[in-house]
Amino acid sequence: MDRVCYVLATLAAVRGFVGVAPRRGATPRRALSVSEEASESSALVQLRQRAVTATGVSAWATQWWLDRRLEGLLARDGEAYGRIATRLHVEEGVARSALPNVENVGFAHLSNATFDENVAEKALLELTRRRYAARAPVPVSRSQEPGIRGLLDEMRQVAFAASPDAQRELVVAVLKDLATPVLPVFYRLVVAGCRPSTANGDPAWLEAAARRLPLLREPEEAPPPFYAAFLTAVVAPLVFSYLVGPATINRRADGALGGIVVTRCKFLQESGCKGLCLHQCKLPAQQLFNDDLKLPLYVKPNFDTLECQWSWGTPAPP
């Protein structure tokens, strides 16, 4: 059932792929006036109430229009969107997972999640733990805890003994090991649209063959292809869920596609540690995508709700 829900969410995102995402020549973002925000808030609350009471095609059409209005508001004025989306969530019962973005959305009550690891996730966590212990700059004692809790125990040992930079480089190295030498080369070429280069770790034969392909870009000279952020957001929940928990596709803070939200971060909930989150999750993930895979990534954890927004195509602030 979870896989079915994920596919449906993906289709819903595709439905809005050419919707309100900012385009070249589009109207620039503009803050709504107080009266405009009040009018928009009232209209969206009425739409929500009609969507709840309507049936059949009418309910679907009303919900579809509410979704499009929220996406348009997010693209125009993120702060006004946050206040109105908070009202819809807290007062009107709109689920956070149904909102296009939750970075600035307040909350009423959130409880801890229970994470059940399947056979594949247990195997991936075991492999991650072995690579982590093998690459750690300090001796790591094997934890008796299974799964993610055991990995976090071992990460704490490194955190107490190694510098933040060493922690970050360790996790980046482990992620590269898990990706194998093939996947980064494939990703940079097919998804990020980068011209192969031996400086990035690409094979020399591929660099020579790609010289005849004019459509490929130099990462420092041109932005990624229009599909790169969205395609990565579609695949990412399937790849990273064993470490961070379930995630759904949503929109970035600028209203464009290319984001996911981890609804309850397993890493953060089980560790209860902002330092581990920062130095052994957020910063390594950003570095891996920015420096090695050539697609900007901004990871923004919410330490109050334990949600985490991942936005591809958005550079992380310095």
Side-chain angles (χ1 to χ4, degrees):
M1 181 60 70
D2 289 343
R3 297 296 183 190
V4 172
C5 293
Y6 175 72
V7 170
L8 292 176
T10 302
L11 292 175
V14 172
R15 178 186 66 191
F17 188 71
V18 295
V20 300
R23 301 177 299 275
R24 292 179 183 176
T27 303
R29 292 165 69 90
R30 177 185 64 85
L32 272 62
S33 66
V34 174
S35 60
E36 288 174 331
E37 182 177 333
S39 175
E40 186 73 4
S41 178
S42 177
L44 291 174
V45 167
Q46 291 176 19
L47 270 177
R48 164 62 179 175
Q49 293 170 347
R50 286 204 297 270
V52 170
T53 57
T55 58
V57 175
S58 177
W60 178 89
T62 305
Q63 184 62 48
W64 184 90
W65 183 234
L66 175 60
D67 293 341
R68 302 290 80 74
R69 289 280 293 269
L70 283 169
E71 290 165 2
L73 177 60
L74 175 62
R76 293 197 311 273
D77 186 344
E79 292 186 2
Y81 163 83
R83 290 187 288 268
I84 294 174
T86 298
R87 179 182 178 186
L88 289 171
H89 170 59
V90 175
E91 299 179 11
E92 301 298 328
V94 175
R96 296 178 72 83
S97 59
L99 295 169
N101 184 280
V102 294
E103 289 182 54
N104 297 313
V105 178
F107 61 97
H109 174 72
L110 295 170
S111 57
N112 281 351
T114 300
F115 300 105
D116 295 321
E117 293 162 355
N118 58 36
V119 174
E121 290 172 335
K122 290 178 180 178
L124 285 169
L125 281 166
E126 178 63 24
L127 177 60
T128 303
R129 291 176 66 178
R130 290 182 180 181
R131 296 310 306 154
Y132 187 88
R135 284 195 170 271
V138 297
V140 174
S141 300
R142 179 75 176 188
S143 171
Q144 297 304 309
E145 287 280 354
I148 189 67
R149 292 183 178 178
L151 175 61
L152 290 169
D153 282 348
E154 291 150 14
M155 286 181 161
R156 289 189 189 94
Q157 297 176 42
V158 174
F160 287 132
S163 67
D165 287 344
Q167 295 175 54
R168 185 181 70 251
E169 294 296 339
L170 166 61
V171 175
V172 170
V174 171
L175 292 175
K176 288 182 180 179
D177 287 348
L178 296 174
T180 75
V182 176
L183 289 180
V185 174
F186 175 84
Y187 184 92
R188 284 191 294 267
L189 177 64
V190 176
V191 180
C194 290
R195 187 175 299 282
S197 169
T198 53
N200 295 328
D202 299 318
W205 65 264
L206 185 60
E207 180 181 27
R211 289 172 184 164
R212 300 181 180 180
L213 299 177
L215 296 180
L216 297 177
R217 69 185 181 96
E218 299 292 343
E220 296 78 13
E221 298 176 1
F226 71 93
Y227 59 81
F230 174 70
L231 184 59
T232 304
V234 170
V235 177
L238 303 174
V239 176
F240 297 127
S241 61
Y242 82 100
L243 285 173
V244 298
T248 57
I249 296 171
N250 71 351
R251 290 181 180 264
R252 305 181 322 210
D254 62 0
L257 288 168
I260 63 170
V261 59
V262 179
T263 51
R264 191 76 175 177
C265 180
K266 177 163 65 172
F267 190 99
L268 187 53
Q269 177 181 301
E270 298 297 336
S271 71
C273 178
K274 294 180 181 179
L276 282 182
C277 169
L278 178 64
H279 300 300
Q280 302 202 44
C281 183
K282 170 186 163 66
L283 294 179
Q286 290 178 173
Q287 179 175 324
L288 177 71
F289 276 92
N290 293 338
D291 298 345
D292 296 289
L293 301 181
K294 305 304 180 182
L295 182 67
L297 168 65
Y298 177 31
V299 179
K300 185 178 180 182
N302 185 324
F303 297 118
D304 294 321
T305 65
L306 303 190
E307 295 166 320
C308 189
Q309 176 70 33
W310 293 52
S311 299
W312 284 275
T314 300

